[in-house]
Amino acid sequence: MAMQESYTLNADNLFAGTQVQPVVADEVIVASGAGVLVRGTALGLDTDGKYNIVDSGGDVTAVVAILAETVDATSEDRPAPAYFTGEFNKNSIVFGGTDTADDHLDAARARGIFFKDAVKA
């Protein structure tokens, strides 16, 4: 007998637009000490080549990915899925400090990450 898996999908409006832009995902390593980062957190690379929350007032200043699932990296490096391209609801993206999606709009766009207002169906 085949095993059947079931999943629960909670709509959170992370994605926006028409989804014409392809979504590319891969695994990243979130740096120890990052704490609990929620789905939709803007990630950048730190000086050790690990991922952490983007905060222009800190060491990680450029968006390179969006966290796909909540991860707890409080006390150790943790693997997590992340999106490297796509169209995202700018009101659902989490940044560090006082950063907003508008602060990173052009730089993220150059990487294939688009921040948009959500389009209602």
Side-chain angles (χ1 to χ4, degrees):
M1 175 180 252
M3 187 169 159
Q4 182 178 8
E5 294 183 46
S6 63
Y7 298 93
T8 301
L9 175 63
N10 296 318
D12 60 4
N13 296 321
L14 178 60
F15 289 96
T18 59
Q19 296 302 314
V20 171
Q21 173 69 24
V23 175
V24 176
D26 202 354
E27 184 177 270
V28 299
I29 301 298
V30 178
S32 177
V36 176
L37 301 181
V38 298
R39 172 178 160 85
T41 297
L43 298 175
L45 287 167
D46 67 15
T47 55
D48 294 327
K50 296 177 184 166
Y51 291 79
N52 209 326
I53 190 169
V54 172
D55 181 350
S56 294
D59 295 332
V60 180
T61 60
V63 177
V64 298
I66 304 297
L67 189 61
E69 298 293 334
T70 299
V71 63
D72 184 353
T74 301
S75 59
E76 63 183 334
D77 291 350
R78 296 297 303 239
Y83 303 115
F84 286 87
T85 63
E87 298 176 37
F88 300 94
N89 178 353
K90 70 180 185 179
N91 299 309
S92 294
I93 304 300
V94 177
F95 291 90
T98 60
D99 289 15
T100 67
D102 289 335
D103 297 329
H104 298 276
L105 197 63
D106 291 334
R109 189 176 289 159
R111 289 187 163 273
I113 298 172
F114 297 88
F115 300 135
K116 304 170 82 174
D117 286 318
V119 175
K120 293 183 181 182

